[in-house]
Amino acid sequence: MTGTNNNVPVGIIGGTGLTSLSNIQITGEETVTTAWGEPSSTLVRGQLGDQPVIFLARHGNPHRIPPHQVNYRANIQALHDAGARVLVGVNAVGGIHANMGPAHIVIPDQLIDYTWGRASTFFEGELEDVTHIDFTWPYDQEARQVLIDAARAASLSFSGFGVYGATQGPRLETAAEIRRMERDGCDIVGMTGMPEAVLAAELGLRYVSLGLVVNWAAGKTDHIITMAEIEEAIAQGMSGVRQILERSMASLGQLALTPRSS
């Protein structure tokens, strides 16, 4: 999908390894607050190609907020209030599926939530009515297809499917936990996929995850997971993530003009 430029920005939430975008043409930076508190970082407005974007560093910049302490509600609310209607969450993940090793890119289509105790909904407190949303398909299908098409156009090694298992953190998982997650059907494991996805859905935003595998999950190799191997995978794979973002912006911007799909 292509089209002319519009003024509706695409929101990009950067995770580990993507605290900033070097190729964004910055046009402004805003410090904001919301009814849920302050987001993780300032909102950086700019252009990727001809498409207006808003970039937010999920863990702060510098990278200092652990996954279980990210104010997800403030982050999603701030991007919504700033005008974003499509969000791309960039996630560093561990590989469980045999084909999803370090530096591999995954565009997941499903998720399982293993987190606990996180503020995970806007619909609580003094409500007039109890609200339930459909979450059958946690990621926007049209936005997923845009990322898949961009990855193909860039001739990248990637998987256009995958079940994202969201764990609590900040510790990594045990080998037994990964075996359980694999039995559950998980292909990748991360710590930030929820409640980010459901909060976006509650506000009617199109949300899609762009995952970069930065290590094999616990027990998938005969050695412990080190920061050195994670950093190496980020160095190898993040250029592909950036290529997908650049190639997909115009089409994502067009999707921002229509309501979220299921």
Side-chain angles (χ1 to χ4, degrees):
M1 180 187 300
T2 60
T4 59
N5 179 40
N6 65 79
N7 293 322
V8 180
V10 173
I12 301 171
I13 306 173
T16 300
L18 192 71
T19 55
S20 63
L21 281 174
S22 57
N23 51 352
I24 188 174
Q25 294 181 331
I26 297 175
T27 58
E29 192 167 352
E30 304 170 30
T31 299
V32 301
T33 189
T34 74
W36 311 101
E38 295 182 358
S40 298
S41 65
T42 58
L43 301 183
V44 178
R45 288 186 181 268
Q47 300 275 138
L48 269 178
D50 292 329
Q51 176 59 42
V53 299
I54 305 174
F55 181 82
L56 187 151
R58 184 188 290 115
H59 299 281
N61 191 9
H63 188 283
R64 60 183 176 80
I65 306 172
H68 68 296
Q69 291 187 323
V70 171
N71 190 339
Y72 295 96
R73 290 193 294 192
N75 286 353
I76 299 301
Q77 188 71 62
L79 288 165
H80 174 274
D81 293 349
R85 294 297 178 265
V86 175
L87 302 182
V88 181
V90 180
N91 302 101
V93 298
I96 299 176
H97 190 289
N99 294 333
M100 298 181 186
H104 191 69
I105 291 171
V106 183
I107 302 165
D109 61 331
Q110 273 296 336
L111 64 81
I112 300 176
D113 187 9
Y114 300 94
T115 65
W116 49 268
R118 300 183 181 189
S120 58
T121 181
F122 293 114
F123 300 132
E124 62 182 15
E126 308 258 340
L127 298 176
E128 294 184 4
D129 298 291
V130 175
T131 303
H132 304 283
I133 66 160
D134 181 88
F135 202 52
T136 305
W137 304 103
Y139 304 112
D140 184 84
Q141 298 302 297
E142 291 177 288
R144 284 189 65 254
Q145 190 60 53
V146 167
L147 296 190
I148 289 168
D149 291 344
R152 285 178 179 152
S155 300
L156 296 171
S157 174
F158 78 101
S159 295
F161 69 94
V163 178
Y164 181 124
T167 59
Q168 179 69 1
R171 69 167 178 85
L172 297 174
E173 300 71 35
T174 68
E177 288 170 331
I178 293 300
R179 288 196 298 270
R180 173 201 172 192
M181 293 177 71
E182 189 167 21
R183 290 194 299 270
D184 287 348
C186 295
D187 298 302
I188 53 177
V189 55
M191 300 176 188
T192 57
M194 283 290 283
E196 197 169 273
V198 71
L199 292 169
E202 286 186 349
L203 292 183
L205 305 179
R206 293 176 179 267
Y207 178 89
V208 66
S209 170
L210 179 56
L212 175 64
V213 180
V214 298
N215 58 271
W216 283 112
K220 288 297 177 179
T221 63
D222 57 3
H223 64 273
I224 64 171
I225 300 167
T226 66
M227 285 306 300
E229 69 175 300
I230 290 174
E231 290 167 0
E232 181 180 355
I234 289 173
Q236 292 177 1
M238 198 52 73
S239 64
V241 169
R242 290 190 172 95
Q243 288 182 62
I244 292 173
L245 290 174
E246 291 173 9
R247 288 175 177 268
S248 64
M249 279 303 110
S251 294
L252 291 177
Q254 291 302 303
L255 286 181
L257 301 175
T258 58
R260 168 187 166 93
S261 67
S262 61

